[in-house]
């Protein structure tokens, strides 16, 4: 049944990524404007490591906070790659189809070294990074279209996951994780809060959590809005953005100091924002637009550099025909 869902999922992703797309010559103008925008020459974009394979089409990335090992997921077949510090070529950590997984979208490594991997067609699985053994899995309940996309983990070990088709956020508690399996059920419904978008597209995408565990931030990539979910009251509000918007925003990374880094896919753009301590406001502080980012989907920041997924979705992937070059992860300094 999951194999039958995959073509429809690819179509939905294509529609979402290309919604409002502009010709390449105008990509820079489509990016949020800021006086601190970086030119290609000073953006300091290089290659961190290569992913083996001819049709990887990577989507998600996560860094283990304990030893800085990096994990990357393939949207094309669900392979999960691993790159240890200093490695120039990643290795296969979880082969394609492991545990029936068809895609690998959002990835996160929690404080205890467990790797969470979403499959857009079904739900999320949790793996031991030492052995590769699956520790738990959770699947979306009910019938109908779904697209489990990105996830974040709060300090108490609770995971929150976005569904881009249903416009909801699922939750997995530590108690559910200990049980090992169960249904993914909505914790927050954002349908009434998102700006209406054209039929056949989706909006809800990247998600991050406040390091203190007070709120979530989830992006509406179509409208360019950022939404705040209060974890104590359940209140959902729109973050006041100053200096730009979050159109085409895909992956998010929120640092403890309130710095929010964002990958805007079809405009080959990265932005940096300063989020207020209460999460109600965000100010754009830097923009980097560079075609060498090759449709950036997600990113992971560590001191000194930001790792960015070069998806190449427009080169024979879900965004259209073409021939990709080698699949790599970019290293960006100065973001």
């Amino acid at each position: 049944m999951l194999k039958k869902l995959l073509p429809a999922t690819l179509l939905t992703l294509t529609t979402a990524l290309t919604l409002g797309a502009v010709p390449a010559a105008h990509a820079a103008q489509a990016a949020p404007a800021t006086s601190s925008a970086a030119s290609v020459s000073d953006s300091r974009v290089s290659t961190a490591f290569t992913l083996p394979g001819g049709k990887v089409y990577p989507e998600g990335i996560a860094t283990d906070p304990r030893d800085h090992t990096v994990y990357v997921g393939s949207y094309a077949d669900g392979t999960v790659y691993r790159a240890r510090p200093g490695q120039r070529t990643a290795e296969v950590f979880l082969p394609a189809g492991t545990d029936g997984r068809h895609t690998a979208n959002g990835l996160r490594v929690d404080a205890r070294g467990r790797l969470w991997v979403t499959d857009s067609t079904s739900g999320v699985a949790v793996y031991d990074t030492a052995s590769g053994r699956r520790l738990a899995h959770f699947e979306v309940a009910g019938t109908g279209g779904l697209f489990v996309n990105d996830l974040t983990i709060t300090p108490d070990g609770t995971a929150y996951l976005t569904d881009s088709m249903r416009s909801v956020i699922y939750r997995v508690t530590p108690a559910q994780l200990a049980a090992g399996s169960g249904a993914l059920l909505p914790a927050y419904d954002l349908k009434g809060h998102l700006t209406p978008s054209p039929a056949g597209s989706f909006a809800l995408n990247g998600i991050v959590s406040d390091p203190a565990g007070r709120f979530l931030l989830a992006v509406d990539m179509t409208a360019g809005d950022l939404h705040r979910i209060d974890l104590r009251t359940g209140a959902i509000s729109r973050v006041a953005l100053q200096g730009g918007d979050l159109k085409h925003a895909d992956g998010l990374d929120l640092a403890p100091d309130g710095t929010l880094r964002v990958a805007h896919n079809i405009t080959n753009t990265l932005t940096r924002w300063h989020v207020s301590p209460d999460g109600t406001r965000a100010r754009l502080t830097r923009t980097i637009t560079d075609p060498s980012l090759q449709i950036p989907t997600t990113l992971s920041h560590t001191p000194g550099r930001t790792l960015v997924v070069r998806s190449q979705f427009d080169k024979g992937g879900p965004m259209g025909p073409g021939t990709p070059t080698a699949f790599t992860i970019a290293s960006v300094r100065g973001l």
Side-chain angles (χ1 to χ4, degrees):
M1 186 171 109
L2 294 178
K3 290 183 179 178
K4 294 180 180 178
L5 285 174
L6 190 53
T9 301
L10 287 168
L11 178 61
T12 302
L13 178 64
T14 303
T15 303
L17 288 176
T18 58
L19 185 64
V22 294
H26 302 293
Q29 289 89 333
T34 173
S35 59
S36 60
S39 66
V40 171
S41 61
D42 66 8
S43 63
R44 293 182 286 178
V45 178
S46 60
T47 295
F49 57 86
T50 300
L51 302 169
K55 293 186 177 182
V56 177
Y57 298 108
E59 213 280 345
I61 188 170
T63 301
D64 189 328
R66 304 168 307 162
D67 61 6
H68 300 293
T69 296
V70 179
Y71 297 87
V72 180
S74 166
Y75 180 79
D77 61 15
T79 300
V80 175
Y81 300 88
R82 176 176 62 191
R84 301 183 191 277
Q87 277 188 290
R88 298 297 296 171
T89 301
E91 60 188 359
V92 173
F93 176 61
L94 300 173
T98 303
D99 302 313
R101 187 180 56 256
H102 294 286
T103 70
N105 296 2
L107 276 70
R108 285 284 189 271
V109 180
D110 65 23
R112 295 181 59 182
R114 296 171 297 204
L115 174 66
W116 297 65
V117 183
T118 67
D119 180 334
S120 61
T121 68
S122 59
V124 63
V126 185
Y127 294 90
D128 175 36
T129 53
S131 66
R133 180 173 63 91
R134 190 177 74 172
L135 304 173
H137 69 284
F138 303 90
E139 297 191 358
V140 176
T143 59
L146 67 143
F147 195 102
V148 183
N149 202 328
D150 203 0
L151 78 156
T152 189
I153 302 171
T154 54
D156 68 354
T158 301
Y160 294 91
L161 308 92
T162 57
D163 188 319
S164 298
M165 290 190 71
R166 298 186 180 187
S167 297
V168 300
I169 296 175
Y170 304 114
R171 176 172 53 206
V172 178
T173 67
Q176 291 170 316
L177 178 59
S181 64
L184 278 181
L185 299 173
Y188 302 101
D189 190 335
L190 275 71
K191 286 191 287 293
H193 299 269
L194 300 179
T195 301
S197 58
S201 66
F202 59 57
L204 196 61
N205 200 326
I207 186 171
V208 289
S209 51
D210 165 38
R214 298 168 298 167
F215 57 83
L216 308 173
L217 298 175
V219 70
D220 176 345
M221 67 181 295
T222 304
D225 296 326
L226 188 64
H227 294 269
R228 180 187 188 277
I229 300 93
D230 191 299
L231 292 175
R232 184 179 64 86
T233 66
I236 300 171
S237 57
R238 193 169 297 176
V239 176
L241 301 179
Q242 178 185 352
D245 60 46
L246 292 174
K247 287 184 178 178
H248 311 299
D250 199 327
L252 311 178
D253 182 283
L254 181 62
D257 65 356
T259 299
L260 178 68
R261 295 173 174 87
V262 183
H264 302 249
N265 47 47
I266 67 171
T267 55
N268 288 317
T269 295
L270 306 174
T271 56
R272 185 181 70 203
W273 302 73
H274 176 71
V275 178
S276 63
D278 62 1
T280 61
R281 303 178 309 281
R283 175 174 53 87
L284 181 64
T285 60
R286 186 165 175 79
T287 298
I288 293 173
T289 298
D290 191 327
S292 74
L293 293 170
Q294 299 177 305
I295 315 294
T297 51
T298 52
L299 70 172
S300 176
H301 180 77
T302 55
R305 70 173 182 175
T306 304
L307 297 178
V308 182
V309 173
R310 290 164 158 161
S311 74
Q312 295 194 75
F313 279 174
D314 61 337
K315 304 296 183 183
M319 283 178 59
T323 303
T325 59
F327 288 96
T328 61
I329 299 301
S331 175
V332 181
R333 297 188 181 275
L335 181 64

